[in-house]
Amino acid sequence: QELGSLSELRSLNICSNYLGVLPEWIWGLRHLEFLSVGVNNLEVVSPRVGELGNLKSLFLHKNRIREAPREILQVQGLKTLSLYLNAIPEFPIWVTELPAIEMFSWGISGITRFPREIAAWKHLKYLTAVSCQFDNLEGIEQCTSLLGTRLHKNRVKTLPKDWSGMQKLRQLTLYQNELSALPESMAS
């Protein structure tokens, strides 16, 4: 209850604790720009997360969350969203409606198709999609603002042939996939 009175708080990192449930007073911290609640055995995130309109970064990684609340869409200025290593079985396509996303991380799911819809993120700079089940990266070449990717531990067998639009890319991590060849176009 005492922390809830910190109405000017801008950053709250309570990662790697044993909370299980987030206290309701967090949703009253209207000036929060950074919230990291990863590794807390959370199964649910309150829809009230949408009330944190000033949020720029939201880290929900390494919990047991089965469904990300769509109310996150109310946080239109969100630049970083980490849903990495949760129990969310399907890629939440609706997250591609967040217009300002620059960094997105996702991992461990049964999706077999690379989510091409991420091309809607015109400002996406960093993408993590680890330990999913997709076998190709068709559509990634449309993410022309990407600077770095972490796409390891998937089942990627083939890569897109045309990389000409990805001239900003500085990091491409593809280890532990099923690649047998790399396209020549990656070098030009």
Side-chain angles (χ1 to χ4, degrees):
Q1 198 65 302
E2 293 84 24
L3 276 178
S5 65
L6 298 175
S7 61
E8 296 300 314
L9 200 62
R10 301 289 195 273
S11 177
L12 179 60
N13 184 340
I14 49 177
C15 272
S16 299
N17 285 288
Y18 303 96
L19 297 177
V21 174
L22 295 176
E24 283 297 308
W25 55 259
I26 285 180
W27 315 121
L29 299 173
R30 301 286 191 239
H31 296 286
L32 267 188
E33 295 176 6
F34 179 94
L35 178 60
S36 185
V37 296
V39 197
N40 268 299
N41 294 318
L42 302 175
E43 292 184 10
V44 174
V45 175
S46 171
R48 292 191 62 198
V49 68
E51 296 174 25
L52 300 177
N54 288 316
L55 216 52
K56 302 281 184 269
S57 299
L58 177 59
F59 291 87
L60 300 170
H61 60 286
K62 294 185 180 180
N63 281 295
R64 298 178 186 169
I65 300 166
R66 295 188 182 284
E67 184 176 352
R70 288 182 68 92
E71 286 79 3
I72 291 173
L73 288 176
Q74 296 169 20
V75 187
Q76 290 289 295
L78 197 62
K79 292 183 177 194
T80 299
L81 177 59
S82 177
L83 297 173
Y84 181 71
L85 296 177
N86 274 289
I88 305 169
E90 297 287 326
F91 181 80
I93 298 295
W94 57 264
V95 298
T96 61
E97 296 174 33
L98 288 163
I101 289 291
E102 294 179 0
M103 193 287 289
F104 180 74
S105 66
W106 170 263
I108 305 228
S109 75
I111 62 171
T112 56
R113 180 183 69 83
F114 181 76
R116 294 178 195 104
E117 293 82 357
I118 65 164
W121 283 327
K122 300 302 178 199
H123 306 289
L124 184 65
K125 294 179 182 169
Y126 300 97
L127 173 66
T128 298
V130 173
S131 295
C132 298
Q133 302 297 314
F134 43 80
D135 63 4
N136 69 70
L137 297 176
E138 189 177 318
I140 196 169
E141 71 278 9
Q142 296 173 26
C143 301
T144 57
S145 60
L146 273 178
L147 298 176
T149 66
R150 291 178 49 215
L151 301 164
H152 51 281
K153 297 183 181 178
N154 287 294
R155 294 183 174 173
V156 176
K157 294 177 179 132
T158 61
L159 294 174
K161 292 193 182 339
D162 183 10
W163 289 78
S164 61
M166 301 196 65
Q167 292 145 355
K168 295 179 183 177
L169 193 63
R170 301 293 177 256
Q171 176 194 7
L172 179 61
T173 304
L174 291 164
Y175 69 85
Q176 290 185 346
N177 277 285
E178 298 175 10
L179 293 167
S180 59
L182 298 175
E184 290 292 324
S185 64
M186 292 179 83
S188 52

